[in-house]
Amino acid sequence: MMKSNKSVIIWLLSGCVLLFIMVMVGGITRLTNSGLSMTDWHLITDTFPPTSEEKWNEAFEAYKTFPEYQKINQYKTGGFNLEDYKFIYFWEWFHRFIGRIIGIVFIIPFIYFLAKKKLDKETIKKCLILLVMGGFQGFLGWFMVKSGLIDNPDVSHFRLALHLTFAFITFAYTLWVALDLIYPKKTETLFPQLKKIAQIALIVLIIQIIWGGFVAGLNAGLIHNHWPLMSDGQFFHESILLEQSNILKAIVEGKSGVQFFHRTFAYVVVFLMFLLYFKSKKYTLNSHQQKGIILLQIVVLLQFTLGVLTLLFHVPLWLGLAHQLVAFGLLTTMVYTLHRLSK
């Protein structure tokens, strides 16, 4: 690591940590059904929650005019009062608040580093891409929430998956830029075959993350809570083709089909990580490459296990969050390993 880049690296890694926290809070927001609690969005005036009981009541009354309250929450056993509303409001507000903090953490230091000439041309280009990605991620969040405020009291699972996956991709790219600065010298041990497997593994992992978003958006983890087979001892449950007219629609729009794809594709992810490990035994790797590949095996097995447990226990909050947290860990390890095999 070059000392001149130390502050820039810390800045980028801080951004990674904030993105990680934001996705975790986003997971809590989703699992507690809090995402539609803030029915309007203002960049400045929504920075903090309502400051008086009168303001809280105004926000609650506005919430009552939207589908989630009218079709779901007002019919809950025991009712749905202001305190209940404050709870779901907090998580959505906190999620958006962290988004604002990320914007500040990226923009202000970026301007400072530009002024101090601490960024070379290549890093400036990469950072500008990151800023655009951050702004687009904010738009995707608004785009997702909007889909649940019109008629159906739930967000589009396509928009949720897009919002979630793009957050993972933004995190991955931020980490990659930081790694470019941490390891400015090119490694002498590059192996094209291993790099190709790692690239395929990364693409497959992103596809799996997309379907994880589909599962979350459709609450598809609440059905077929069995493993290794689906309900009724079936590998390919009959409900998959009963929900949708064809297999392609089933695996992107049907609860059973989406779950089937996600749980089955997990084996492909594990296989590719193992393939990378066994192929790597043919080569003399440096310590960074070895550690990355070994860590991949540990994290992917942990993630697979958490996925199974999350399913078997009907997606409790803590297991759902743990599964998402380790997904971040798996992506981090995958990006690091690919970087060490590429540069």
Side-chain angles (χ1 to χ4, degrees):
M1 184 193 302
M2 294 178 65
K3 289 185 178 180
S4 60
N5 287 329
K6 187 175 180 180
S7 56
V8 179
I9 292 167
I10 292 171
W11 166 56
L12 290 168
L13 293 179
S14 297
C16 287
V17 172
L18 284 171
L19 285 166
F20 168 78
I21 293 171
M22 189 171 186
V23 172
M24 288 303 102
V25 173
I28 297 173
T29 302
R30 177 63 193 168
L31 291 167
T32 56
N33 296 311
S34 303
L36 300 177
S37 57
M38 294 179 70
T39 56
D40 204 353
W41 188 86
H42 302 96
L43 182 60
I44 304 300
T45 55
D46 285 340
T47 302
F48 298 101
T51 53
S52 67
E53 204 67 10
E54 181 184 355
K55 293 290 185 183
W56 271 116
N57 281 310
E58 285 180 14
F60 189 31
E61 289 303 315
Y63 173 72
K64 288 180 179 180
T65 66
F66 285 86
E68 185 174 70
Y69 178 81
Q70 294 175 345
K71 296 183 178 182
I72 299 175
N73 282 340
Q74 70 169 325
Y75 299 112
K76 280 188 173 181
T77 304
F80 187 85
N81 57 35
L82 182 59
E83 291 305 311
D84 297 319
Y85 176 65
K86 286 181 179 180
F87 173 78
I88 63 171
Y89 186 100
F90 169 78
W91 287 112
E92 176 61 12
W93 166 79
F94 191 39
H95 186 55
R96 298 187 191 193
F97 181 72
I98 296 171
R100 288 181 170 92
I101 296 298
I102 290 174
I104 293 170
V105 166
F106 267 92
I107 294 170
I108 293 178
F110 177 62
I111 295 171
Y112 170 80
F113 290 134
L114 273 180
K116 292 291 184 178
K117 301 187 185 303
K118 291 197 171 221
L119 304 174
D120 58 38
K121 288 184 179 180
E122 191 62 30
T123 305
I124 291 171
K125 290 178 185 177
K126 294 172 183 175
C127 289
L128 287 173
I129 291 171
L130 281 173
L131 289 172
V132 172
M133 291 175 77
F136 186 61
Q137 178 67 4
F139 164 77
L140 288 176
W142 169 83
F143 185 61
M144 176 189 70
V145 169
K146 187 180 178 183
S147 67
L149 296 175
I150 300 170
D151 182 48
N152 181 26
D154 205 357
V155 299
S156 160
H157 71 287
F158 291 114
R159 297 188 189 189
L160 184 147
L162 182 60
H163 185 50
L164 175 68
T165 306
F166 197 74
F168 273 86
I169 291 172
T170 303
F171 169 86
Y173 186 65
T174 306
L175 178 60
W176 189 275
V177 176
L179 289 171
D180 280 346
L181 297 176
I182 293 171
Y183 301 104
K185 294 181 181 179
K186 292 189 179 294
T187 180
E188 296 177 359
T189 52
L190 294 177
F191 308 103
Q193 186 186 26
L194 296 183
K195 178 183 175 182
K196 186 174 182 179
I197 296 171
Q199 288 172 331
I200 294 170
L202 178 60
I203 293 169
V204 165
L205 179 57
I206 290 172
I207 292 171
Q208 182 70 337
I209 289 168
I210 293 170
W211 256 263
F214 288 169
V215 170
L218 291 171
N219 293 314
L222 301 177
I223 59 173
H224 303 300
N225 300 103
H226 305 274
W227 188 83
L229 301 175
M230 299 178 80
S231 300
D232 307 313
Q234 298 178 29
F235 172 72
F236 185 88
H237 198 267
E238 58 191 4
S239 60
I240 295 171
L241 292 179
L242 290 175
E243 283 185 308
Q244 299 294 334
S245 57
N246 62 66
I247 186 63
L248 288 178
K249 286 192 72 175
I251 63 173
V252 296
E253 295 185 33
K255 289 185 179 183
S256 294
V258 162
Q259 192 203 103
F260 170 77
F261 185 91
H262 190 58
R263 66 191 286 159
T264 307
F265 206 63
Y267 293 105
V268 179
V269 177
V270 174
F271 168 78
L272 283 170
M273 301 304 174
F274 280 13
L275 179 65
L276 182 62
Y277 172 75
F278 287 112
K279 289 289 185 182
S280 73
K281 304 301 285 182
K282 298 178 181 179
Y283 304 97
T284 303
L285 308 181
N286 63 42
S287 61
H288 297 295
Q289 293 166 337
Q290 285 180 332
K291 289 175 183 176
I293 291 174
I294 291 171
L295 189 57
L296 266 179
Q297 314 312 306
I298 297 170
V299 181
V300 77
L301 286 176
L302 176 59
Q303 177 66 346
F304 186 90
T305 303
L306 283 171
V308 172
L309 292 175
T310 302
L311 186 64
L312 291 177
F313 288 98
H314 290 244
V315 199
L317 177 62
W318 72 273
L319 265 176
L321 285 176
H323 189 47
Q324 190 163 304
L325 184 153
V326 178
F328 243 103
L330 183 56
L331 180 65
T332 301
T333 313
M334 186 73 255
V335 169
Y336 174 80
T337 304
L338 178 57
H339 191 277
R340 294 294 75 220
L341 291 170
S342 302
K343 294 191 174 185

